[in-house]
Amino acid sequence: MNETRKIPFPLDITAPVTLQGQPVPEREWIVPGWIPSRSVTMIGGDGGQGKTLLAQQLMTACAIGQPWLGVETTPCRAFGLFAEDETAELHHRQAAINAAYGVDFRDLERMEWTSRVGLDNSLGHFDQFERFTESALLGQLHAQLAGGDVRLCVLDSLHDLFTGSENSRTQARAFIGALRCLATEMNGAIVLTAHPSRAGMADGSGYSGSTAWNGAVRSRLYLKGVEGAKDRRKLTRQKSNYAPAGEVIDLRFKDGILAPLVGAQGVVASIRRGTARNAFMACLWALMAQGRDVSESSNASNFAPRVMASMADAEGYAVGELLRAMNEAFDAGDIRLEPVGPPSRNRRVIRPTDG
């Protein structure tokens, strides 16, 4: 007699007919076309090409609401785990990034990192049957990031965090699956840096071991040098489930960062910048009504973007976005600097041109 098969758990089934009349959800991005949300993105690159720098620039851009490599970002809190760089090196690198964006360390309230050089950074272990068991460190990441307000997590790098066989399809998919669970729980993106294999470097694909790594991640980017130009790099979108593959961003090392050779374009970027400028002007008028002066200097305690970022009229724009709006308002002639106070203690404050 056949025994009734026991079902351990019910399947979560969706009948498409129930979607009739429901709004189609927008796809969420941390960086449109490049870093999808609720997924794992891999950034590959040989040692010394700048992939860790690129990841730290991404964290900064999201934390201050500025573009990354000329592409708009979703402003959010960012966290990074760095297994190869000590805090002093991250500090040094961050100073150069801050200078490029025109911000200070006090503007990075939405950014955190941990340096784990010399520690056990394995996120899990495989038994003889290639079954994955998460480590205490991965458990700590779940406890710290899941359900919080961090929406970008950088993990640097794969060969420090993964202790299995990079050539095993089963292990590659299990590892990325574990990170995908973390991305889903934090409702954000995991960005994992990786070194390509020799074959991946030779053929330009950037593969790291088994091709299962490419299949498991939703987006894979590859950073490589340009022959004959030591200061040049190319970032290529090698694979994406949600955007065309093959797009390239040309980069150059400049003042300690990787800077795009061409700035951001596009209607969406223009609309957001214009709206940020409106928010800046609304904040300026509100501050004047309160008798509060603001400065253009990032070293001043009343630095305009920093003061405005906490105001309701700022509409959620971050310091970096308001800084960009301020500079554009100066260029457009919407605002000016006006000297106030006695000649012996003269200072300049921002005023609307028609104010």
Side-chain angles (χ1 to χ4, degrees):
M1 184 174 64
N2 292 330
E3 295 183 2
T4 303
R5 182 183 296 275
K6 294 182 180 180
I7 301 176
F9 56 86
L11 295 175
D12 184 8
I13 297 175
T14 297
V17 68
T18 64
L19 302 179
Q20 178 65 33
Q22 299 295 322
V24 178
E26 293 185 10
R27 179 163 286 124
E28 296 183 13
W29 298 90
I30 298 301
V31 181
W34 295 83
I35 313 288
S37 189
R38 299 173 65 84
S39 300
V40 180
T41 293
M42 181 179 286
I43 300 180
D46 191 20
Q49 294 295 335
K51 60 184 178 296
T52 306
L53 170 62
L54 207 63
Q56 195 169 339
Q57 288 181 214
L58 172 62
M59 291 173 60
T60 307
C62 289
I64 64 175
Q66 283 274 43
W68 177 64
L69 311 181
V71 185
E72 296 296 313
T73 62
T74 296
C76 64
R77 183 173 292 277
F79 173 82
L81 186 156
F82 296 94
E84 298 181 326
D85 291 301
E86 296 181 341
T87 298
E89 174 57 29
L90 296 170
H91 187 171
H92 177 81
R93 189 182 295 145
Q94 190 64 49
I97 297 172
N98 289 354
Y101 278 118
V103 298
D104 293 329
F105 282 96
R106 57 184 166 181
D107 299 317
L108 305 179
E109 295 179 345
R110 297 193 292 186
M111 179 176 173
E112 295 176 316
W113 69 59
T114 179
S115 171
R116 291 182 52 85
V117 175
L119 301 176
D120 178 6
N121 291 302
S122 171
L123 295 185
H125 308 280
F126 294 91
D127 64 15
Q128 60 180 324
F129 303 107
E130 297 193 295
R131 292 176 299 201
F132 181 75
T133 301
E134 72 174 38
S135 68
L137 178 57
L138 182 53
Q140 287 178 299
L141 289 174
H142 274 279
Q144 181 150 345
L145 304 180
D149 57 355
V150 172
R151 293 201 60 207
L152 171 66
C153 174
V154 167
L155 300 176
D156 180 59
S157 65
L158 175 64
H159 73 270
D160 293 289
L161 307 172
F162 176 77
T163 56
S165 169
E166 292 190 12
N167 293 319
S168 168
R169 298 181 63 84
T170 299
Q171 294 184 22
R173 295 192 66 84
F175 184 78
I176 295 299
L179 296 186
R180 180 76 183 270
C181 287
L182 177 59
T184 302
E185 289 183 12
M186 58 184 272
N187 192 30
I190 301 292
V191 172
L192 175 67
T193 65
H195 295 286
S197 64
R198 289 185 178 181
M201 292 172 56
D203 64 17
S205 67
Y207 281 142
S208 179
S210 169
T211 55
W213 294 103
N214 182 68
V217 298
R218 300 295 88 184
S219 178
R220 185 172 65 84
L221 317 180
Y222 184 43
L223 181 69
K224 63 179 180 179
V226 176
E227 188 175 354
K230 293 182 179 180
D231 64 336
R232 294 281 302 280
R233 300 288 187 273
K234 285 184 178 292
L235 181 68
T236 304
R237 186 164 62 217
Q238 295 283 65
K239 175 261 177 90
S240 175
N241 284 58
Y242 314 123
E247 185 172 344
V248 175
I249 299 178
D250 291 304
L251 304 167
R252 172 178 292 154
F253 271 113
K254 181 180 180 182
D255 300 324
I257 69 159
L258 283 167
L261 296 181
V262 180
Q265 304 292 330
V267 175
V268 174
S270 298
I271 291 173
R272 183 164 178 83
R273 287 196 295 269
T275 307
R277 211 159 100 194
N278 292 339
F280 179 92
M281 296 303 297
C283 287
L284 182 59
W285 283 107
L287 289 166
M288 289 176 59
Q290 298 169 15
R292 299 167 62 190
D293 293 328
V294 287
S295 170
E296 64 159 342
S297 173
S298 61
N299 295 320
S301 60
N302 62 339
F303 179 46
R306 190 178 301 117
V307 172
M308 293 175 178
S310 61
M311 297 175 61
D313 286 324
E315 299 180 0
Y317 286 101
V319 173
E321 292 177 297
L322 292 168
L323 171 60
R324 183 174 183 173
M326 180 182 74
N327 291 333
E328 291 179 349
F330 272 122
D331 292 341
D334 294 337
I335 56 177
R336 57 186 171 81
L337 292 176
E338 179 178 294
V340 296
S344 59
R345 300 182 61 185
N346 190 264
R347 55 193 177 87
R348 299 193 304 170
V349 299
I350 302 173
R351 291 282 187 266
T353 301
D354 57 355

mmCIF file of all heavy atoms in Angstrom, residues 221-250:
data_model
loop_
_atom_site.group_PDB
_atom_site.id
_atom_site.type_symbol
_atom_site.label_atom_id
_atom_site.label_comp_id
_atom_site.label_asym_id
_atom_site.label_seq_id
_atom_site.Cartn_x
_atom_site.Cartn_y
_atom_site.Cartn_z
ATOM 1 N N LEU A 221 30.593 42.812 -13.124
ATOM 2 C CA LEU A 221 31.370 43.885 -13.717
ATOM 3 C C LEU A 221 32.842 43.487 -13.717
ATOM 4 O O LEU A 221 33.297 42.744 -12.850
ATOM 5 C CB LEU A 221 31.186 45.192 -12.931
ATOM 6 C CG LEU A 221 29.760 45.530 -12.494
ATOM 7 C CD1 LEU A 221 29.741 46.849 -11.724
ATOM 8 C CD2 LEU A 221 28.820 45.581 -13.683
ATOM 9 N N TYR A 222 33.583 44.002 -14.700
ATOM 10 C CA TYR A 222 34.997 43.642 -14.803
ATOM 11 C C TYR A 222 35.820 44.900 -15.051
ATOM 12 O O TYR A 222 35.569 45.652 -15.993
ATOM 13 C CB TYR A 222 35.204 42.645 -15.938
ATOM 14 C CG TYR A 222 36.633 42.133 -16.062
ATOM 15 C CD1 TYR A 222 37.366 41.780 -14.935
ATOM 16 C CD2 TYR A 222 37.234 41.977 -17.307
ATOM 17 C CE1 TYR A 222 38.667 41.303 -15.044
ATOM 18 C CE2 TYR A 222 38.526 41.489 -17.433
ATOM 19 C CZ TYR A 222 39.247 41.153 -16.297
ATOM 20 O OH TYR A 222 40.525 40.683 -16.403
ATOM 21 N N LEU A 223 36.786 45.135 -14.157
ATOM 22 C CA LEU A 223 37.666 46.294 -14.251
ATOM 23 C C LEU A 223 39.028 45.838 -14.759
ATOM 24 O O LEU A 223 39.651 44.946 -14.182
ATOM 25 C CB LEU A 223 37.823 46.945 -12.867
ATOM 26 C CG LEU A 223 38.705 48.190 -12.787
ATOM 27 C CD1 LEU A 223 38.052 49.366 -13.507
ATOM 28 C CD2 LEU A 223 38.976 48.550 -11.322
ATOM 29 N N LYS A 224 39.488 46.437 -15.835
ATOM 30 C CA LYS A 224 40.796 46.055 -16.363
ATOM 31 C C LYS A 224 41.524 47.287 -16.896
ATOM 32 O O LYS A 224 40.919 48.330 -17.169
ATOM 33 C CB LYS A 224 40.652 45.011 -17.470
ATOM 34 C CG LYS A 224 39.903 45.465 -18.709
ATOM 35 C CD LYS A 224 39.856 44.340 -19.747
ATOM 36 C CE LYS A 224 39.118 44.767 -21.007
ATOM 37 N NZ LYS A 224 39.089 43.685 -22.017
ATOM 38 N N GLY A 225 42.851 47.123 -17.039
ATOM 39 C CA GLY A 225 43.669 48.217 -17.520
ATOM 40 C C GLY A 225 43.580 48.390 -19.024
ATOM 41 O O GLY A 225 43.011 47.566 -19.739
ATOM 42 N N VAL A 226 44.168 49.489 -19.489
ATOM 43 C CA VAL A 226 44.220 49.795 -20.910
ATOM 44 C C VAL A 226 45.683 49.736 -21.345
ATOM 45 O O VAL A 226 46.539 50.427 -20.777
ATOM 46 C CB VAL A 226 43.629 51.197 -21.205
ATOM 47 C CG1 VAL A 226 43.776 51.538 -22.683
ATOM 48 C CG2 VAL A 226 42.163 51.250 -20.791
ATOM 49 N N GLU A 227 45.946 48.904 -22.326
ATOM 50 C CA GLU A 227 47.325 48.720 -22.781
ATOM 51 C C GLU A 227 47.928 50.037 -23.244
ATOM 52 O O GLU A 227 47.327 50.778 -24.021
ATOM 53 C CB GLU A 227 47.351 47.699 -23.919
ATOM 54 C CG GLU A 227 48.756 47.288 -24.332
ATOM 55 C CD GLU A 227 48.776 46.178 -25.374
ATOM 56 O OE1 GLU A 227 47.674 45.658 -25.691
ATOM 57 O OE2 GLU A 227 49.868 45.849 -25.850
ATOM 58 N N GLY A 228 49.117 50.329 -22.725
ATOM 59 C CA GLY A 228 49.829 51.541 -23.132
ATOM 60 C C GLY A 228 49.420 52.789 -22.365
ATOM 61 O O GLY A 228 49.939 53.872 -22.625
ATOM 62 N N ALA A 229 48.482 52.669 -21.415
ATOM 63 C CA ALA A 229 48.038 53.831 -20.634
ATOM 64 C C ALA A 229 47.897 53.403 -19.174
ATOM 65 O O ALA A 229 46.866 52.854 -18.775
ATOM 66 C CB ALA A 229 46.717 54.374 -21.172
ATOM 67 N N LYS A 230 48.935 53.630 -18.379
ATOM 68 C CA LYS A 230 48.967 53.136 -17.007
ATOM 69 C C LYS A 230 47.885 53.743 -16.130
ATOM 70 O O LYS A 230 47.488 53.131 -15.135
ATOM 71 C CB LYS A 230 50.347 53.409 -16.389
ATOM 72 C CG LYS A 230 51.474 52.609 -17.029
ATOM 73 C CD LYS A 230 52.800 52.885 -16.333
ATOM 74 C CE LYS A 230 53.925 52.055 -16.954
ATOM 75 N NZ LYS A 230 55.222 52.307 -16.283
ATOM 76 N N ASP A 231 47.406 54.947 -16.468
ATOM 77 C CA ASP A 231 46.416 55.607 -15.622
ATOM 78 C C ASP A 231 44.985 55.354 -16.080
ATOM 79 O O ASP A 231 44.040 55.885 -15.500
ATOM 80 C CB ASP A 231 46.660 57.116 -15.584
ATOM 81 C CG ASP A 231 46.486 57.781 -16.952
ATOM 82 O OD1 ASP A 231 46.626 57.079 -17.978
ATOM 83 O OD2 ASP A 231 46.196 58.990 -16.989
ATOM 84 N N ARG A 232 44.804 54.529 -17.100
ATOM 85 C CA ARG A 232 43.469 54.299 -17.654
ATOM 86 C C ARG A 232 42.924 52.933 -17.241
ATOM 87 O O ARG A 232 43.641 51.961 -17.107
ATOM 88 C CB ARG A 232 43.508 54.397 -19.178
ATOM 89 C CG ARG A 232 43.840 55.792 -19.712
ATOM 90 C CD ARG A 232 42.639 56.691 -19.672
ATOM 91 N NE ARG A 232 41.537 56.145 -20.442
ATOM 92 C CZ ARG A 232 41.435 56.242 -21.772
ATOM 93 N NH1 ARG A 232 42.368 56.848 -22.474
ATOM 94 N NH2 ARG A 232 40.390 55.720 -22.396
ATOM 95 N N ARG A 233 41.596 52.876 -17.066
ATOM 96 C CA ARG A 233 40.894 51.638 -16.766
ATOM 97 C C ARG A 233 39.591 51.608 -17.560
ATOM 98 O O ARG A 233 39.043 52.644 -17.949
ATOM 99 C CB ARG A 233 40.566 51.518 -15.266
ATOM 100 C CG ARG A 233 41.773 51.522 -14.353
ATOM 101 C CD ARG A 233 42.562 50.227 -14.448
ATOM 102 N NE ARG A 233 43.618 50.186 -13.463
ATOM 103 C CZ ARG A 233 44.839 50.695 -13.646
ATOM 104 N NH1 ARG A 233 45.146 51.288 -14.807
ATOM 105 N NH2 ARG A 233 45.750 50.616 -12.685
ATOM 106 N N LYS A 234 39.069 50.399 -17.746
ATOM 107 C CA LYS A 234 37.751 50.218 -18.351
ATOM 108 C C LYS A 234 36.918 49.346 -17.434
ATOM 109 O O LYS A 234 37.347 48.263 -17.047
ATOM 110 C CB LYS A 234 37.863 49.568 -19.732
ATOM 111 C CG LYS A 234 38.349 50.493 -20.839
ATOM 112 C CD LYS A 234 38.339 49.779 -22.176
ATOM 113 C CE LYS A 234 38.768 50.703 -23.307
ATOM 114 N NZ LYS A 234 37.771 51.775 -23.553
ATOM 115 N N LEU A 235 35.725 49.822 -17.093
ATOM 116 C CA LEU A 235 34.779 49.017 -16.326
ATOM 117 C C LEU A 235 33.697 48.548 -17.281
ATOM 118 O O LEU A 235 32.974 49.360 -17.860
ATOM 119 C CB LEU A 235 34.158 49.826 -15.187
ATOM 120 C CG LEU A 235 33.168 49.049 -14.307
ATOM 121 C CD1 LEU A 235 33.899 47.969 -13.500
ATOM 122 C CD2 LEU A 235 32.410 49.990 -13.367
ATOM 123 N N THR A 236 33.593 47.235 -17.445
ATOM 124 C CA THR A 236 32.645 46.652 -18.402
ATOM 125 C C THR A 236 31.559 45.871 -17.671
ATOM 126 O O THR A 236 31.854 45.118 -16.744
ATOM 127 C CB THR A 236 33.376 45.707 -19.373
ATOM 128 O OG1 THR A 236 34.432 46.419 -20.024
ATOM 129 C CG2 THR A 236 32.412 45.176 -20.435
ATOM 130 N N ARG A 237 30.337 46.071 -18.103
ATOM 131 C CA ARG A 237 29.235 45.261 -17.589
ATOM 132 C C ARG A 237 29.218 43.971 -18.403
ATOM 133 O O ARG A 237 28.648 43.885 -19.475
ATOM 134 C CB ARG A 237 27.910 46.019 -17.717
ATOM 135 C CG ARG A 237 26.735 45.290 -17.068
ATOM 136 C CD ARG A 237 25.548 46.220 -16.875
ATOM 137 N NE ARG A 237 25.048 46.727 -18.130
ATOM 138 C CZ ARG A 237 24.584 47.957 -18.334
ATOM 139 N NH1 ARG A 237 24.581 48.828 -17.355
ATOM 140 N NH2 ARG A 237 24.125 48.321 -19.514
ATOM 141 N N GLN A 238 29.865 42.934 -17.862
ATOM 142 C CA GLN A 238 30.019 41.675 -18.572
ATOM 143 C C GLN A 238 28.724 40.870 -18.617
ATOM 144 O O GLN A 238 28.454 40.157 -19.578
ATOM 145 C CB GLN A 238 31.112 40.829 -17.917
ATOM 146 C CG GLN A 238 32.507 41.424 -17.989
ATOM 147 C CD GLN A 238 33.130 41.269 -19.358
ATOM 148 O OE1 GLN A 238 32.651 41.823 -20.333
ATOM 149 N NE2 GLN A 238 34.200 40.512 -19.447
ATOM 150 N N LYS A 239 27.946 40.983 -17.542
ATOM 151 C CA LYS A 239 26.699 40.214 -17.478
ATOM 152 C C LYS A 239 25.697 40.972 -16.625
ATOM 153 O O LYS A 239 26.036 41.563 -15.595
ATOM 154 C CB LYS A 239 26.965 38.834 -16.867
ATOM 155 C CG LYS A 239 25.709 37.959 -16.622
ATOM 156 C CD LYS A 239 25.271 38.044 -15.165
ATOM 157 C CE LYS A 239 23.986 37.243 -14.929
ATOM 158 N NZ LYS A 239 24.240 35.849 -14.561
ATOM 159 N N SER A 240 24.447 40.990 -17.061
ATOM 160 C CA SER A 240 23.371 41.551 -16.260
ATOM 161 C C SER A 240 22.066 40.863 -16.630
ATOM 162 O O SER A 240 21.795 40.661 -17.816
ATOM 163 C CB SER A 240 23.234 43.065 -16.469
ATOM 164 O OG SER A 240 22.105 43.563 -15.768
ATOM 165 N N ASN A 241 21.291 40.509 -15.634
ATOM 166 C CA ASN A 241 19.984 39.919 -15.897
ATOM 167 C C ASN A 241 18.932 40.968 -16.220
ATOM 168 O O ASN A 241 17.858 40.641 -16.716
ATOM 169 C CB ASN A 241 19.514 39.109 -14.684
ATOM 170 C CG ASN A 241 20.220 37.776 -14.568
ATOM 171 O OD1 ASN A 241 21.442 37.731 -14.483
ATOM 172 N ND2 ASN A 241 19.467 36.688 -14.568
ATOM 173 N N TYR A 242 19.259 42.242 -15.942
ATOM 174 C CA TYR A 242 18.245 43.276 -16.055
ATOM 175 C C TYR A 242 18.655 44.444 -16.949
ATOM 176 O O TYR A 242 17.918 45.424 -17.044
ATOM 177 C CB TYR A 242 17.901 43.819 -14.660
ATOM 178 C CG TYR A 242 17.687 42.744 -13.633
ATOM 179 C CD1 TYR A 242 18.432 42.710 -12.457
ATOM 180 C CD2 TYR A 242 16.738 41.746 -13.827
ATOM 181 C CE1 TYR A 242 18.232 41.719 -11.502
ATOM 182 C CE2 TYR A 242 16.534 40.744 -12.884
ATOM 183 C CZ TYR A 242 17.285 40.739 -11.719
ATOM 184 O OH TYR A 242 17.095 39.753 -10.792
ATOM 185 N N ALA A 243 19.798 44.365 -17.589
ATOM 186 C CA ALA A 243 20.275 45.450 -18.453
ATOM 187 C C ALA A 243 21.192 44.847 -19.516
ATOM 188 O O ALA A 243 21.729 43.757 -19.330
ATOM 189 C CB ALA A 243 21.026 46.506 -17.639
ATOM 190 N N PRO A 244 21.360 45.545 -20.649
ATOM 191 C CA PRO A 244 22.212 45.003 -21.706
ATOM 192 C C PRO A 244 23.660 44.852 -21.242
ATOM 193 O O PRO A 244 24.199 45.724 -20.563
ATOM 194 C CB PRO A 244 22.099 46.053 -22.828
ATOM 195 C CG PRO A 244 20.854 46.817 -22.530
ATOM 196 C CD PRO A 244 20.732 46.824 -21.044
ATOM 197 N N ALA A 245 24.268 43.738 -21.607
ATOM 198 C CA ALA A 245 25.682 43.527 -21.297
ATOM 199 C C ALA A 245 26.545 44.273 -22.303
ATOM 200 O O ALA A 245 26.100 44.636 -23.383
ATOM 201 C CB ALA A 245 26.003 42.037 -21.314
ATOM 202 N N GLY A 246 27.803 44.502 -21.929
ATOM 203 C CA GLY A 246 28.758 45.090 -22.853
ATOM 204 C C GLY A 246 28.990 46.576 -22.684
ATOM 205 O O GLY A 246 29.922 47.126 -23.288
ATOM 206 N N GLU A 247 28.188 47.268 -21.876
ATOM 207 C CA GLU A 247 28.401 48.710 -21.703
ATOM 208 C C GLU A 247 29.709 48.946 -20.961
ATOM 209 O O GLU A 247 30.066 48.214 -20.044
ATOM 210 C CB GLU A 247 27.232 49.338 -20.955
ATOM 211 C CG GLU A 247 27.333 50.853 -20.858
ATOM 212 C CD GLU A 247 26.081 51.503 -20.290
ATOM 213 O OE1 GLU A 247 25.024 50.824 -20.251
ATOM 214 O OE2 GLU A 247 26.156 52.673 -19.890
ATOM 215 N N VAL A 248 30.418 49.995 -21.371
ATOM 216 C CA VAL A 248 31.743 50.286 -20.814
ATOM 217 C C VAL A 248 31.782 51.710 -20.266
ATOM 218 O O VAL A 248 31.236 52.639 -20.875
ATOM 219 C CB VAL A 248 32.840 50.123 -21.890
ATOM 220 C CG1 VAL A 248 34.213 50.536 -21.336
ATOM 221 C CG2 VAL A 248 32.886 48.687 -22.394
ATOM 222 N N ILE A 249 32.419 51.881 -19.106
ATOM 223 C CA ILE A 249 32.719 53.204 -18.563
ATOM 224 C C ILE A 249 34.234 53.366 -18.588
ATOM 225 O O ILE A 249 34.967 52.576 -17.986
ATOM 226 C CB ILE A 249 32.195 53.374 -17.131
ATOM 227 C CG1 ILE A 249 30.672 53.220 -17.085
ATOM 228 C CG2 ILE A 249 32.597 54.745 -16.578
ATOM 229 C CD1 ILE A 249 30.092 53.327 -15.682
ATOM 230 N N ASP A 250 34.711 54.364 -19.297
ATOM 231 C CA ASP A 250 36.145 54.649 -19.369
ATOM 232 C C ASP A 250 36.554 55.481 -18.161
ATOM 233 O O ASP A 250 35.915 56.494 -17.837
ATOM 234 C CB ASP A 250 36.476 55.397 -20.652
ATOM 235 C CG ASP A 250 36.313 54.524 -21.886
ATOM 236 O OD1 ASP A 250 36.950 53.465 -21.940
ATOM 237 O OD2 ASP A 250 35.531 54.895 -22.775
#
